[in-house]
Structure formats: C-alpha cells, structure tokens
Amino acid sequence: MEIPVIDFSKLNGDKRGDTMVLLHEACEKWGFFMVENHEIDSHLMEKVKQLINTYYDENLKQSFYESEIAKRLEKQQDTSDIDWESAFFIWHRPTSNINEIPNISQELCQTMDEYIAQLMKLGEKLSELMSENLGLEKDYIKKAFRGSGEGAAVGTKVAKYPQCPRPEFVRGLREHTDAGGIILLLQDDKVQGLEFFKDGKWVEIPPSKNNAIFVNTGDQVEVLSNGLYKSVVHRVMPDKNGSRISIATFYNPIGDAIISPAPKLLYPTNFVYGDYLKLYGSTKFGAKGPRFESMKNMINGHKNVLD
C-alpha cells in the first residue's frame, strides 16, 4: 500500500491540477501523506535531528531507563496504560517556552526556531491548499484557527522512542487521533514504528528519506471539513534494535477558536419539501450543488424574517 506523496515543486506548473487532486484524495481517503520538495532547508532539518538526539542522550536517556515505565516493563507488569516514549513539548506560538526547557542549549534553541519559521510557512500553505480543495476561501482554515489571535497556535512534541527490550508487551504510543489541525512530522530516517489504521488494517509508515515531511490531519480539520477530510487513528510501535526520533509540529487552532463545520460544506436542513420541489422544477437539469445552496439561502432568509 503506497502512501500518497505530494510533490510541492509541481504546484507552480502545468501539473498543479493533478497535484491538487492528489492532495484532495490524500486528505479525503487517507488522512496522511508525504510532502517532498517543500523548500525547507535540508541541512537545517538534519541539524535539528542531530541536536535533539544529543539532547536526549545527555539529558533524558538514563532517566528513562530508570523510570517507572521501564521498571514496569522489566517486571512484566501491566503496561496497557503507558507509552514507551521519552518526550517534551515546545510551544512556539503564540508564546514560546523553548528557553524554559531544562538544560537546552542556545544552539538547539536557535536551530529549532529557524526550522519552525520555515515549517510554519509549509503549514500555512497546506491550510490554504486544503481550503481551496474544499471550495472555501483560501484563508478559511487560517482564519478559523487564529480565533481572536494573530495566527494559529504552533507547538512541537519532541519524542524519542527508545530501544525496547520487550516491544511485544508495550506501545511506543497508544492508539489515538490527533486533537488539533495539521501535523507536520520530521521523523527518523532509519528506524520505523509509526502506523496508521486504514481499511481495516495497520499501515506501516516507512522512515522518511531525503527529509520528506510526513503530514496527517487532526480532529479539527475533520470537523471544519464536515467530515470530508479524515483524522485517522495511529500508533507507534517500539523497536528492539534501535530508537526512533519523532519531531511532530502541530499547526492548531488557538485555545479560544470557535470550531464548527464550514457552512458552505453543510447540507440544507429543516426545509419544507414542497419548497424544494418548486426549486427542483426549474433546476432539474442543473447541478444539485447550487440547488442546495439556494435552499440554504432560502432557509436563512426565512429565519431572518422570523428574527
């Protein structure tokens, strides 16, 4: 089962239409895809991974293997409610907390800030392309996510899934969907473990080659799209032979954003069937979409009269 690959270099030429169709199908039928040729500096991406790996080795690795999680696995106790991961979260927007991370170096802070500045452009671009594919205004998702603020909330979960002596008894990360909007993942290029559930079976996501960004859509995109785009269940499986790095950046609504399906994507509701038949009589041989829009306008106009 080949995962959809969206080549951003084709969005500016005669392949744009085909690429937009592929993106729409990926969001609608898969809920996840790879993005290639995204123009994020590959050397910067490699440096982020290298510095995160160093930070983990120096600050988190020993404490993880001495943690209650590791002890429970060693004693073969119940592990159904734990995750075999070592993780911390960095907020970037609206307010950064990166300098509050214990023992973080200035080099890592600066490198991460530079990477996120480039990645946010990709997140915003994807939100525009998704809005366009849904038939909405280009900035619809961006406006919905910013609420009363100046932009979407952006944060990064930095995780290591350490080498695991008994991977058959524990999850790296238990099955879940993502609560937010658009998730942009910079992941390991050697060790796999991420799996998405599609068509009744688990799909293994291969390690990212050439610094492709793996993208999945969260619950709020599913709501905004009225269910057209999917938020898909996924998990992480630990590995007996190696540890896996995962740098997942969330392009999310801010806390006070009001989320609801885009009105344009909703069917008309609470209309009188006789009114629909009258409209149908004069529009029978036209597309049904404009007919539905006319019914919504008619209903809204009737409500305004009543109000």
Side-chain angles (χ1 to χ4, degrees):
M1 190 179 291
E2 290 193 16
I3 298 163
V5 177
I6 311 302
D7 186 345
F8 259 46
S9 69
K10 295 181 179 179
L11 284 169
N12 297 318
D14 58 3
K15 297 289 186 181
R16 186 179 195 276
D18 293 339
T19 305
M20 291 293 285
V21 169
L22 183 59
L23 175 62
H24 182 65
E25 290 179 349
C27 295
E28 184 180 40
K29 298 177 181 178
W30 293 72
F32 56 95
F33 50 90
M34 290 281 193
V35 175
E36 294 183 344
N37 296 316
H38 41 62
E39 297 187 349
I40 299 172
D41 187 335
S42 60
H43 296 292
L44 183 62
M45 297 171 77
E46 286 297 327
K47 188 175 181 180
V48 168
K49 289 190 289 185
Q50 180 259 313
L51 290 172
I52 291 295
N53 279 326
T54 299
Y55 180 83
Y56 168 75
D57 288 340
E58 293 178 352
N59 297 278
L60 302 173
K61 184 176 182 178
Q62 181 177 346
S63 62
F64 177 81
Y65 284 111
E66 294 173 352
S67 69
E68 186 63 29
I69 294 173
K71 290 176 182 176
R72 282 171 63 176
L73 183 64
E74 183 181 1
K75 295 175 183 178
Q76 298 189 29
Q77 297 174 341
D78 180 27
T79 56
S80 61
D81 62 341
I82 62 174
D83 301 309
W84 188 263
E85 71 168 356
S86 176
F88 60 94
F89 199 88
I90 304 172
W91 280 109
H92 310 290
R93 201 166 70 178
T95 304
S96 173
N97 73 339
I98 193 166
N99 289 307
E100 299 170 16
I101 306 298
N103 301 319
I104 195 166
S105 68
Q106 282 304 115
E107 184 181 20
L108 177 51
C109 288
Q110 182 178 346
T111 303
M112 181 63 79
D113 285 345
E114 291 175 6
Y115 167 65
I116 292 300
Q118 295 188 28
L119 190 67
M120 280 198 298
K121 294 178 182 179
L122 176 60
E124 290 182 346
K125 182 65 175 177
L126 280 167
S127 77
E128 293 174 354
L129 296 174
M130 289 178 188
S131 294
E132 182 181 342
N133 267 337
L134 289 166
L136 305 171
E137 297 83 2
K138 187 173 77 168
D139 59 354
Y140 188 92
I141 293 177
K142 282 199 295 185
K143 285 183 176 179
F145 280 13
R146 77 186 182 199
S148 62
E150 296 181 358
V154 179
T156 298
K157 178 185 175 183
V158 178
K160 284 282 286 191
Y161 296 95
Q163 187 172 352
C164 182
R166 295 185 176 92
E168 65 273 20
F169 294 118
V170 69
R171 296 280 190 266
L173 185 61
R174 286 162 288 165
E175 292 80 357
H176 66 288
T177 62
D178 289 324
I182 301 171
I183 299 84
L184 306 110
L185 175 65
L186 173 59
Q187 66 165 347
D188 209 287
D189 58 3
K190 294 182 179 65
V191 180
Q192 66 182 46
L194 181 62
E195 297 182 352
F196 274 70
F197 197 68
K198 176 174 168 54
D199 298 335
K201 55 188 174 183
W202 289 101
V203 178
E204 296 181 352
I205 308 302
S208 293
K209 301 300 182 184
N210 302 315
N211 282 319
I213 294 289
F214 181 84
V215 178
N216 68 281
T217 46
D219 295 348
Q220 306 316 305
V221 169
E222 181 166 330
V223 172
L224 281 170
S225 69
N226 196 35
L228 289 174
Y229 288 173
K230 306 304 180 188
S231 174
V232 180
V233 173
H234 53 285
R235 66 187 183 185
V236 176
M237 305 300 286
D239 192 278
K240 191 170 185 176
N241 301 310
S243 62
R244 174 178 172 270
I245 190 171
S246 167
I247 304 168
T249 299
F250 296 80
Y251 181 83
N252 283 353
I254 66 167
D256 69 358
I258 305 300
I259 304 297
S260 60
K264 189 173 181 180
L265 302 178
L266 293 172
Y267 285 108
T269 58
N270 299 316
F271 58 84
V272 177
Y273 179 55
D275 292 339
Y276 186 84
L277 280 179
K278 290 177 184 176
L279 181 62
Y280 182 78
S282 60
T283 62
K284 178 177 180 178
F285 300 107
K288 62 185 174 185
R291 189 156 61 237
F292 290 160
E293 283 299 308
S294 295
M295 289 306 299
K296 285 194 283 187
N297 293 334
M298 185 187 303
I299 294 162
N300 291 334
H302 183 59
K303 284 182 179 177
N304 290 337
V305 170
L306 292 177
D307 291 344

